[in-house]
Amino acid sequence: MGSLFRSEEMALCQLFLQSEAAYACVSELGELGLVQFRDLNPDVNAFQRKFVNEVRRCDEMERKLRYLEKEIKKDGIPMLDTGESPEAPQPREMIDLEATFEKLENELREVNQNAEALKRNFLELTELKHILRKTQVFFDESVPTVYKSSGTHSSNKYRRYLQMADNQNEDEQAQLLGEEAVRASQPGQNLKLGFVAGVILRERLPAFERMLWRACRGNVFLRQAMIETPLEDPTNGDQVHKSVFIIFFQGDQLKTRVKKICEGFRATLYPCPEAPADRREMAMGVMTRIEDLNTVLGQTQDHRHRVLVAAAKNLKNWFVKVRKIKAIYHTLNLFNLDVTQKCLIAECWVPLLDIETIQLALRRGTERSGSSVPPILNRMQTFENPPTYNRTNKFTKAFQALIDAYGVASYREMNPAPYTIITFPFLFAVMFGDLGHGAIMALFGLWMIRKEKGLAAQKTDNEIWNIFFGGRYIIFLMGAFSMYTGLIYNDIFSKSLNIFGSHWHMSYNKSTVADNKYLQLNPNGDYEGAPYPFGMDPIWQVAGANKIIFHNAYKMKISIIFGVIHMIFGVVMSWHNHTYFRNRISMLYEFIPQLIFLLLLFFYMVLLMFIKWIKFAATNAKPYSEACAPSILITFIDMVLFNTPKEPVKDCQTYMFFGQHFIQVLFVLVAVGCIPVMLLAKPLLIMQARKQANIQPIAGATSDAETGAITNGGVGGGQHEEEEELSEIFIHQSIHTIEYVLGSVSHTASYLRLWALSLAHAQLAEVLWTMVLSIGLKQEGWFGGIILTCVFAFWAILTVGILVLMEGLSAFLHTLRLHWVEFQSKFYKGQGYAFQPFSFDAIIENGAAAAEAE
Amino acid sequence: MEVFLTIFFFTALWAGVARFGPILMSKAPQQDLVRCCFLLAAVCCWLFWLCCYLAQLNPLIGPKLNQNTVKIIAEAWDNPIKAG
């Protein structure tokens, strides 16, 4: 089994498949997911490829399936998802599938069309029903006023309104036109008032009225009434509000005008009989027809529902099958057809360790297709840059993704991912260190891990949840390490645990305590002599006044210690790379000066820190008492700048140990001397080697190794004949050197963010305690209990929201930066490209995700 | 003496974790990765503990307590204030 420490060895292979067996073999390889095919027809148009018809048919099938899916979702029918992946069907089964989908689609379309027509009919009948009902009101209103006669009302308009009543109203004997009107009108003129009744959208009514008034110069009369219940629009199923209207007019000209305006405003007109008896008859007819229509509509919907339910059972299965078929034909399009037209040739990258598995899969495919000729897998020699393949499992996948997000590793260079598994959560924990918050994080991660299978099966497209779930192992480890660093920092929700008893003891008497607001313990006496065995002494947490001073000194030092060690680790990784790629020049003239530079300057500073911790104590006599402890930063700066240090206080010494000055000067000189070596040695040697190669073109063996050394080690796709220009090499090397030298200073300082974030986290937790929770805890009585409950809820929300989520995200980001920049810049080239095997699982997941996004 | 014993104890503890921890996961397929992880974790944790221990070994300043805290410590941590 390949290890995660380097990417896998890959081989470029040629695959010869018989045309009959090709489909089955590709199907087997897709299930396996270990082969990356190359496109052998890059300049062929997508429409000119061999299997474009099959792909088109698959697209059609997918379209039909998507239509079915949409209809099923519209009805809210649940789709069965067993989660298992059916095998890709044989080519001959494709025709069956196509026929099934065609039938289903046609049936569904027909049902939908029928339903729409029925609904339209239903709408018309409903509107007609409303019209009949409402116009009844209009006509009814004319009845009593006729008996009241013209004496009481004088307005012309009102009289005209009376006249507009039904002409032949035999029952009520209403006279449409009064006697006077008949006499007053010109003989021969048609006095009959016409009317149109219809239905219009309520929103359009005011504009409609205005238009009517203007166009007909006020000679028409509109009466309208709202329909209370909203009606369903057949095309899109929206509920719309409509109103019934009836327009009275005189003459044909007005009639045409009114009809045109109604058309313009898309009001539907209905024939409304004038006689009330007719209207009642019509109303009853309409009611019966509506009943019938409802029954038919119900049956149509039932039928549709049945069809969809039957389809829903297999829909996911079909989707998977169609996607697999399409994927296979896409892949077959990448192949080359050989001269005899009998076999397909493919070129693919395969991991060396998996060649056996692939051979087995090919054999299985050949057997399934019933072909007699076995497929041939030939390994080819190539100078091309293979893809980078890191075999990961569910645990290591997330860490590898973190590394790949910055840049995929070059082929066969050292992979930082296995170390990241531990260093990433650890550096996060240094910044996050709180037992309580770490516990919350660890429990969350643990819950996600325990419920892995169930949670993974519920495929949601909630991005944020998917990110959290994908990083569940990272979150768990971050939480676990944070609990450890929380124990060491002795910080649980900004309080300390006193497990072993503090190693600081007070020795005050009552008057001292009464007289002084602040009392500082003396390390020479109040301190036991041995430190608290595990972590920070709990007395520091309650020493509110100078806790931060002590913590700062401690945390800054550990930040630099861990930072320098992390960077040395990075440089050592580059040694592994140089050894593997047999890059002797780089090893001698890059790695060794780099390491010496880092060790002599920055690791020396780390050693100084340890020396100061051990040598200087308050219990010591001068010059090793606490009064004489030198600042390490000042010492370091003086060392590098060759300054003479300031005069120390009386009885103290400038230096910590004997010979320090001499050692420091020596170290700085050697370190500075490494810089020109880093800058010039490698390019000069290459220059010399090339001169030799030119003089002795035959003896290429040794010089090739040197010149070849330039182009390998991660520069993608280079052929060995092509050499970098010498000036390029010098420039590259100088950039590299400057980056390293300046970087070593800036990166060392950059690690101080470990201190900064840890301080911020501790202070935030303390603020939450002081300003929120302690106020709640100080309340008394039963009412205080209620207040405490509310305050606790508030505190808990802030703790999770600010301290765990926000600070967690922040520390995560900073740790990521530390890994990507400070650690990886020491050795990582990251110029490879990822191995993307032809795998059904990946395609189906992507297909499902793309479909959800639509 | 106490100092040496404590340092020896924790060094031995984390060395034990690094040496015998992978046995817990002897059924995992990638044994080299498991060993690497345990070693790294043990080294990191041990170093972190050591730094904290050494930083407190010879403190150069003492904690500054306010009056109230002194009284609470006297009661809670059994460190009574002397009379007078």
Side-chain angles (χ1 to χ4, degrees):
Chain A
M1 159 119 343
S3 76
L4 201 54
F5 292 97
R6 267 183 217 282
S7 73
E8 302 248 340
E9 275 189 70
M10 309 291 284
L12 186 64
C13 291
Q14 235 178 1
L15 188 57
F16 294 91
L17 294 167
Q18 209 192 16
S19 303
E20 302 156 7
Y23 183 91
C25 286
V26 171
S27 165
E28 286 290 331
L29 289 178
E31 299 284 344
L32 206 54
L34 283 173
V35 173
Q36 177 177 346
F37 288 105
R38 298 209 313 184
D39 191 358
L40 291 174
N41 313 312
D43 38 355
V44 175
N45 197 338
F47 298 107
Q48 292 165 348
R49 295 201 185 226
K50 189 165 180 281
F51 296 96
V52 66
N53 279 329
E54 280 79 359
V55 174
R56 204 174 286 150
R57 281 161 65 192
C58 288
D59 270 334
E60 258 302 303
M61 285 200 280
E62 244 188 319
R63 186 193 58 78
K64 292 192 180 122
L65 283 177
R66 276 201 294 271
Y67 172 68
L68 280 172
E69 190 179 21
K70 199 174 73 155
E71 293 294 315
I72 289 178
K73 277 212 179 102
K74 205 160 41 164
D75 268 18
I77 301 172
M79 284 186 284
L80 191 65
D81 189 1
T82 53
E84 53 184 51
S85 189
E87 272 197 3
Q90 300 287 346
R92 50 180 174 275
E93 286 173 38
M94 201 163 112
I95 305 177
D96 294 335
L97 279 175
E98 274 180 320
T100 321
F101 297 160
E102 176 95 25
K103 192 168 76 85
L104 271 175
E105 191 197 11
N106 286 341
E107 210 175 321
L108 210 56
R109 277 203 202 278
E110 208 181 302
V111 166
N112 281 346
Q113 269 169 7
N114 287 346
E116 200 173 312
L118 286 172
K119 280 198 192 133
R120 201 164 288 135
N121 217 350
F122 183 74
L123 182 71
E124 283 174 14
L125 288 173
T126 321
E127 287 177 359
L128 189 54
K129 178 183 86 181
H130 281 295
I131 286 182
L132 291 171
R133 216 181 281 157
K134 300 289 180 189
T135 48
Q136 182 66 30
V137 176
F138 298 154
F139 291 132
D140 276 349
E141 278 177 358
S142 73
V143 171
T145 48
V146 165
Y147 287 124
K148 280 206 203 123
S149 191
S150 46
T152 42
H153 296 278
S154 52
S155 80
N156 263 347
K157 198 154 179 249
Y158 195 68
R159 193 166 301 149
R160 207 178 297 148
Y161 167 65
L162 297 178
Q163 296 166 343
M164 285 176 201
D166 196 329
N167 205 350
Q168 295 162 356
N169 209 338
E170 288 134 12
D171 290 348
E172 281 80 14
Q173 310 250 326
Q175 287 282 318
L176 179 56
L177 291 171
E179 303 264 339
E180 325 94 66
V182 174
R183 267 182 268 121
S185 63
Q186 308 249 340
Q189 196 176 26
N190 186 5
L191 293 169
K192 184 172 183 305
L193 276 182
F195 68 93
V196 288
V199 170
I200 189 174
L201 281 174
R202 219 179 270 176
E203 300 93 58
R204 299 208 181 128
L205 202 49
F208 183 56
E209 256 190 272
R210 255 201 311 278
M211 179 64 93
L212 271 178
W213 185 258
R214 288 193 191 137
C216 306
R217 276 172 236 160
N219 287 327
V220 297
F221 186 69
L222 169 85
R223 193 85 206 288
Q224 52 99 349
M226 297 196 296
I227 303 180
E228 295 85 11
T229 53
L231 304 165
E232 193 187 336
D233 185 348
T235 39
N236 51 11
D238 285 346
Q239 306 280 330
V240 291
H241 285 113
K242 295 195 174 177
S243 297
V244 168
F245 65 87
I246 183 167
I247 304 175
F248 293 96
F249 49 80
Q250 187 181 33
D252 282 327
Q253 263 192 346
L254 282 178
K255 182 177 182 178
T256 33
R257 224 177 271 180
V258 164
K259 282 227 167 96
K260 283 239 172 66
I261 295 176
C262 288
E263 241 180 77
F265 277 84
R266 263 179 266 289
T268 24
L269 297 173
Y270 291 94
C272 186
E274 297 189 22
D278 287 347
R279 278 209 304 278
R280 269 201 293 277
E281 225 179 279
M282 196 177 200
M284 283 195 295
V286 164
M287 292 306 288
T288 27
R289 276 163 67 194
I290 289 184
E291 298 280 322
D292 290 338
L293 211 55
N294 262 331
T295 335
V296 176
L297 213 53
Q299 282 175 345
T300 317
Q301 294 291 59
D302 278 342
H303 177 61
R304 184 188 130 99
H305 191 83
R306 271 197 303 273
V307 167
L308 288 178
V309 163
K313 287 204 199 84
N314 300 324
L315 197 70
K316 288 279 181 218
N317 229 344
W318 284 335
F319 258 123
V320 169
K321 282 190 180 158
V322 168
R323 287 207 179 103
K324 282 194 178 175
I325 300 178
K326 190 161 145 188
I328 294 177
Y329 278 118
H330 262 306
T331 314
L332 286 176
N333 270 338
L334 303 175
F335 294 3
N336 238 344
L337 201 56
D338 89 328
V339 198
T340 63
Q341 299 279 330
K342 282 255 193 61
C343 90
L344 289 165
I345 309 176
E347 261 181 34
C348 50
W349 289 107
V350 298
L352 263 187
L353 288 171
D354 287 326
I355 287 194
E356 293 290 317
T357 333
I358 294 174
Q359 301 267 26
L360 272 171
L362 287 172
R363 216 166 296 150
R364 268 202 308 273
T366 334
E367 277 169 30
R368 257 189 26 198
S369 70
S371 160
S372 52
V373 182
I376 304 173
L377 191 66
N378 240 356
R379 191 173 164 188
M380 298 197 311
Q381 292 292 340
T382 175
F383 287 129
E384 277 188 43
N385 215 20
T388 309
Y389 178 46
N390 287 309
R391 209 183 294 262
T392 53
N393 55 23
K394 64 181 179 184
F395 175 64
T396 52
K397 192 162 93 151
F399 296 101
Q400 188 64 51
L402 280 182
I403 303 294
D404 287 344
Y406 187 64
V408 179
S410 305
Y411 180 61
R412 293 296 278 175
E413 74 165 343
M414 290 294 282
N415 184 12
Y419 316 106
T420 308
I421 296 177
I422 297 294
T423 58
F424 187 91
F426 183 74
L427 288 181
F428 173 89
V430 173
M431 292 194 252
F432 198 69
D434 186 311
L435 183 58
H437 303 142
I440 295 176
M441 202 178 251
L443 284 172
F444 178 53
L446 196 61
W447 170 75
M448 282 197 288
I449 294 175
R450 299 279 280 165
K451 300 273 175 215
E452 235 175 10
K453 291 222 172 68
L455 290 171
Q458 312 165 0
K459 292 188 182 62
T460 59
D461 41 351
N462 187 349
E463 277 279 338
I464 297 183
W465 166 255
N466 282 338
I467 292 179
F468 277 133
F469 183 69
R472 56 196 180 279
Y473 287 101
I474 306 183
I475 292 177
F476 173 64
L477 279 179
M478 292 197 301
F481 274 104
S482 298
M483 288 172 74
Y484 177 74
T485 55
L487 277 173
I488 300 270
Y489 287 153
N490 215 347
D491 187 347
I492 170 168
F493 296 124
S494 87
K495 296 282 133 203
S496 276
L497 298 170
N498 190 354
I499 307 177
F500 303 101
S502 171
H503 283 222
W504 290 81
H505 305 286
M506 310 180 303
S507 53
Y508 299 122
N509 46 16
K510 285 210 177 108
S511 53
T512 324
V513 177
D515 291 339
N516 294 303
K517 282 216 77 183
Y518 285 101
L519 286 167
Q520 184 159 7
L521 295 177
N522 190 351
N524 189 2
D526 296 325
Y527 168 61
E528 249 178 50
Y532 192 73
F534 190 74
M536 189 64 63
D537 200 301
I539 199 160
W540 287 106
Q541 189 65 254
V542 298
N546 67 351
K547 160 179 88 148
I548 294 186
I549 298 178
F550 183 74
H551 275 149
N552 279 358
Y554 159 62
K555 286 180 180 174
M556 284 170 112
K557 290 205 179 70
I558 60 169
S559 305
I560 301 293
I561 291 172
F562 277 99
V564 169
I565 293 179
H566 202 209
M567 288 197 290
I568 293 177
F569 186 40
V571 176
V572 168
M573 294 273 271
S574 77
W575 172 64
H576 282 290
N577 272 341
H578 296 319
T579 321
Y580 179 81
F581 290 114
R582 284 185 241 294
N583 203 342
R584 214 168 138 261
I585 295 189
S586 283
M587 187 146 77
L588 287 177
Y589 301 107
E590 261 185 10
F591 167 69
I592 294 195
Q594 282 179 347
L595 189 63
I596 292 179
F597 185 82
L598 201 54
L599 284 179
L600 289 187
L601 290 178
F602 297 99
F603 194 65
Y604 173 68
M605 184 162 72
V606 167
L607 287 177
L608 282 181
M609 289 179 196
F610 279 102
I611 293 174
K612 182 174 172 183
W613 273 341
I614 296 179
K615 263 205 138 168
F616 289 85
T619 44
N620 290 348
K622 298 199 173 181
Y624 293 116
S625 75
E626 83 281 8
C628 297
S631 156
I632 300 207
L633 184 62
I634 307 288
T635 313
F636 186 70
I637 294 176
D638 289 339
M639 165 174 126
V640 175
L641 296 180
F642 290 106
N643 282 342
T644 41
K646 244 174 48 178
E647 269 299 308
V649 193
K650 191 170 79 91
D651 287 337
C652 291
Q653 289 172 348
T654 335
Y655 293 114
M656 284 195 249
F657 56 87
F658 175 71
Q660 183 172 353
H661 179 69
F662 173 71
I663 287 180
Q664 282 182 185
V665 169
L666 180 66
F667 280 2
V668 175
L669 287 177
V670 172
V672 171
C674 287
I675 297 182
V677 176
M678 280 190 257
L679 188 61
L680 295 170
K682 183 167 155 184
L684 284 176
L685 278 171
I686 291 173
M687 193 166 74
Q688 198 185 35
R690 282 195 192 169
K691 281 211 195 99
Q692 272 190 349
N694 285 338
I695 297 172
Q696 308 167 348
I698 313 153
T702 39
S703 45
D704 260 5
E706 317 284 17
T707 51
I710 323 153
T711 47
N712 77 351
V715 181
Q719 280 86 34
H720 269 266
E721 296 79 46
E722 177 187 310
E723 285 177 356
E724 266 182 284
E725 270 210 35
L726 213 49
S727 56
E728 291 275 319
I729 298 180
F730 272 98
I731 292 175
H732 275 178
Q733 195 63 25
S734 58
I735 292 176
H736 196 69
T737 308
I738 295 174
E739 195 186 339
Y740 182 79
V741 171
L742 290 181
S744 64
V745 180
S746 88
H747 293 170
T748 309
S750 177
Y751 275 97
L752 283 172
R753 69 187 69 221
L754 295 175
W755 155 65
L757 259 88
S758 151
L759 178 66
H761 190 92
Q763 289 305 102
L764 271 175
E766 194 167 320
V767 160
L768 271 191
W769 166 266
T770 331
M771 303 270 166
V772 182
L773 196 54
S774 68
I775 295 181
L777 287 170
K778 285 182 195 153
Q779 306 297 325
E780 296 185 8
W782 58 268
F783 187 61
I786 299 177
I787 295 185
L788 176 59
T789 312
C790 304
V791 166
F792 177 76
F794 188 50
W795 175 86
I797 292 173
L798 285 180
T799 296
V800 172
I802 296 183
L803 282 170
V804 177
L805 282 174
M806 188 189 84
E807 274 284 313
L809 194 64
S810 169
F812 181 94
L813 204 65
H814 282 285
T815 314
L816 202 57
R817 177 249 156 72
L818 282 179
H819 277 76
W820 282 353
V821 179
E822 274 78 12
F823 176 55
Q824 288 180 199
S825 67
K826 305 284 181 288
F827 68 98
Y828 194 63
K829 296 285 178 297
Q831 294 185 336
Y833 60 104
F835 178 61
Q836 280 163 334
F838 171 60
S839 154
F840 283 142
D841 294 329
I843 292 173
I844 288 166
E845 257 182 60
N846 285 344
E852 300 274 336
E854 279 168 31
Chain B
M1 192 54 197
E2 184 183 335
V3 172
F4 284 120
L5 278 179
T6 322
I7 296 183
F8 177 75
F9 171 72
F10 278 100
T11 312
L13 175 73
W14 287 112
V17 166
R19 176 68 183 83
F20 300 110
I23 297 179
L24 285 172
M25 302 191 56
S26 52
K27 278 189 248 98
Q30 308 104 316
Q31 274 300 297
D32 47 357
L33 185 63
V34 168
R35 281 198 307 265
C36 169
C37 284
F38 269 97
L39 179 65
L40 255 182
V43 168
C44 287
C45 292
W46 170 78
L47 188 59
F48 198 61
W49 169 84
L50 185 72
C51 288
C52 188
Y53 193 77
L54 292 179
Q56 296 182 96
L57 183 59
N58 298 317
L60 302 177
I61 56 171
K64 192 168 177 182
L65 309 166
N66 74 6
Q67 209 177 36
N68 213 13
T69 314
V70 172
K71 291 180 189 163
I72 298 177
I73 290 180
E75 275 201 47
W77 288 357
D78 200 23
N79 193 355
I81 306 174
K82 296 194 286 257

